[in-house]
C-alpha cells in the first residue's frame, strides 16, 4: 500500500517538477539575449511566462528561444527513454515522409534510411534548425532531409510539398503544441496517400470519469506557458481516428502507464 501511495505521489508531482525544470532555463535564455541585436526581444514586461501587450511575434519569439534551449537538453533524454517503443514504429515509415515538429532531430537515427526517398522536416521554430542540421549530417541524410521552416497550415499554400501525396507522416510529441489541432490533423490526413502510414506517439487527455482528469486540468492552466504552448488535455487519438477512413488502426496506451498517469500517452500506426 505504501509503495502504491508513493508511486501515485510521484506521478502527481511530476508535471510540477517538469515545469520547474523548464523554468530553470529562463536565466540562460535571458543571458543569451543580452546582445544589441536581441535586446528588443528581451526588454519586455512579459518576461517569458505571462501574457502581455507585446506584439505576438515578439512574445512568441521569446518562448521559442527558451523552449529550444530547454528541448536541446531534454529532447535527447526523452528519445533515449522512449526509443525502445518508438523505434519499431518508425520501421513502418517509407517513401516520401512528413516529419512534423522534429525539433533538434532526436529521432533521425531511428529512421529506416533504405526505405525513404525524401523527408520534409516541418519545424517552424528556427531556433531548432542549427541542431537539426547537425543531426542531419550525422545521420547521413543530407540531400534527403529538407527542413521546412513553416507550420502545417502553410505546407501546401507555400508550395513546400511538391508531391500531391506523401507516403508517411511522423508525429512524435508534437501534436500537443500545434495551433488548431483538429484542422491540422485533417490537413495531414489529406496529404497522406492511399496505403500511407501515420506513425504516432503523443501524450493525451486522461479518459473521462477519472479523478486524475481534474488534476490534469489544473496542471494544464500552467503547463502551456512553461512548455512552448504544449497542451495536456488534447484528445489527439480520437481526432486522428476521426480525420478520415483508415484501413488499419493500431493505437494503444503504453502498458507500463498506470491509471493515475497524469500525462498518459497513445502510440501506434494508422494506415490509410
Amino acid at each position: 500500500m505504501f509503495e502504491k501511495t508513493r508511486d501515485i505521489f510521484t506521478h502527481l508531482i511530476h508535471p510540477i517538477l517538469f515545469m520547474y525544470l523548464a523554468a530553470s532555463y529562463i536565466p540562460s535564455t535571458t543571458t543569451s539575449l543580452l546582445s544589441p541585436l536581441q535586446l528588443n526581444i528581451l526588454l519586455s514586461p512579459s518576461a517569458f511566462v505571462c501574457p502581455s501587450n507585446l506584439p505576438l511575434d515578439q512574445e512568441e519569439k521569446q518562448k521559442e528561444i527558451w523552449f529550444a534551449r530547454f528541448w536541446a537538453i531534454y529532447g535527447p533524454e526523452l528519445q533515449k527513454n522512449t526509443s525502445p517503443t518508438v523505434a519499431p514504429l518508425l520501421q513502418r515509415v517509407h517513401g516520401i515522409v512528413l516529419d512534423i515538429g522534429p525539433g533538434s532531430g532526436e529521432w533521425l537515427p531511428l529512421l529506416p534510411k533504405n526505405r525513404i526517398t525524401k523527408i520534409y522536416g516541418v519545424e517552424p521554430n528556427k531556433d531548432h534548425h542549427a541542431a537539426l542540421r547537425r543531426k542531419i549530417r550525422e545521420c547521413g541524410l543530407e540531400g534527403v532531409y529538407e527542413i521546412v521552416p513553416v507550420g502545417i497550415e502553410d505546407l501546401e499554400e507555400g508550395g513546400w510539398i511538391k508531391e500531391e501525396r506523401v507516403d508517411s507522416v511522423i508525429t512524435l510529441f508534437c501534436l500537443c503544441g500545434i495551433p488548431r489541432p483538429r484542422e491540422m490533423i485533417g490537413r495531414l490526413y489529406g496529404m497522406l496517400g492511399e496505403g500511407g502510414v501515420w506513425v504516432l506517439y503523443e501524450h493525451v487527455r486522461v479518459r473521462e470519469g477519472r479523478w486524475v482528469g481534474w488534476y490534469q486540468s489544473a496542471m494544464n492552466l500552467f503547463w502551456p506557458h512553461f512548455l512552448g504552448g504544449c497542451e495536456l488535455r488534447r484528445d489527439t487519438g480520437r481526432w486522428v481516428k476521426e480525420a478520415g477512413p483508415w484501413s488499419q488502426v493500431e493505437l494503444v496506451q503504453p502498458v507500463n502507464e498506470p491509471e493515475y498517469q497524469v500525462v498518459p500517452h497513445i502510440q501506434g500506426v494508422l494506415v490509410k
Side-chain angles (χ1 to χ4, degrees):
M1 182 65 180
F2 174 76
E3 289 295 327
K4 183 175 181 179
T5 301
R6 185 174 64 178
D7 192 46
I8 291 175
F9 176 78
T10 299
H11 279 82
L12 293 179
I13 201 71
H14 177 262
I16 298 174
L17 295 177
F18 198 62
M19 286 187 283
Y20 174 80
L21 176 63
S24 70
Y25 284 79
I26 292 177
S28 62
T29 303
T30 302
T31 301
S32 74
L33 293 174
L34 289 174
S35 70
L37 294 178
Q38 301 194 78
L39 282 177
N40 65 316
I41 299 176
L42 177 62
L43 296 177
S44 72
S46 72
F48 299 93
V49 181
C50 300
S52 72
N53 294 321
L54 274 179
L56 180 61
D57 57 345
Q58 187 172 330
E59 183 178 350
E60 290 303 315
K61 183 60 178 175
Q62 287 183 331
K63 294 179 180 179
E64 286 179 1
I65 296 171
W66 169 23
F67 186 71
R69 293 177 68 88
F70 164 68
W71 198 253
I73 303 300
Y74 180 73
E77 285 298 311
L78 178 68
Q79 190 268 358
K80 181 172 67 175
N81 294 334
T82 56
S83 60
T85 299
V86 174
L89 302 178
L90 289 176
Q91 296 308 302
R92 303 279 294 274
V93 170
H94 66 279
I96 300 167
V97 181
L98 275 182
D99 185 12
I100 307 300
S104 302
E106 296 83 18
W107 306 103
L108 268 59
L110 302 181
L111 294 176
K113 294 190 293 184
N114 61 323
R115 291 167 48 85
I116 294 172
T117 56
K118 181 71 177 181
I119 310 174
Y120 294 99
V122 183
E123 182 51 73
N125 187 343
K126 295 180 175 61
D127 292 288
H128 285 301
H129 289 183
L132 181 54
R133 290 190 188 95
R134 286 195 296 271
K135 187 63 70 172
I136 291 170
R137 289 194 297 270
E138 291 173 8
C139 295
L141 289 170
E142 291 176 293
V144 175
Y145 198 107
E146 180 179 353
I147 299 176
V148 179
V150 300
I152 298 168
E153 65 275 14
D154 295 319
L155 282 177
E156 293 177 304
E157 291 84 345
W160 288 97
I161 304 302
K162 281 42 171 211
E163 292 78 10
E164 185 178 354
R165 294 289 182 266
V166 299
D167 303 299
S168 308
V169 171
I170 302 173
T171 56
L172 305 174
F173 301 98
C174 66
L175 295 180
C176 54
I178 63 173
R180 306 190 306 279
R182 297 195 73 168
E183 177 187 341
M184 296 304 108
I185 287 171
R187 291 196 182 198
L188 290 175
Y189 178 87
M191 297 178 199
L192 191 62
E194 185 176 352
V197 300
W198 188 323
V199 173
L200 180 147
Y201 195 113
E202 299 284 346
H203 67 73
V204 295
R205 66 184 301 165
V206 173
R207 291 202 296 270
E208 296 296 337
R210 295 191 173 188
W211 63 268
V212 73
W214 292 95
Y215 185 76
Q216 188 190 55
S217 295
M219 289 296 101
N220 197 50
L221 295 175
F222 309 97
W223 183 273
H225 301 295
F226 287 87
L227 277 301
C230 170
E231 297 274 352
L232 290 176
R233 296 284 292 166
R234 290 186 171 178
D235 201 358
T236 303
R238 180 171 66 87
W239 295 344
V240 174
K241 290 178 183 177
E242 294 176 353
W246 299 97
S247 65
Q248 184 178 343
V249 176
E250 303 172 9
L251 291 181
V252 297
Q253 185 174 348
V255 295
N256 62 335
E257 292 187 352
E259 61 181 6
Y260 43 82
Q261 179 89 8
V262 181
V263 189
H265 297 82
I266 192 166
Q267 66 182 54
V269 178
L270 303 94
V271 182
K272 191 169 181 180

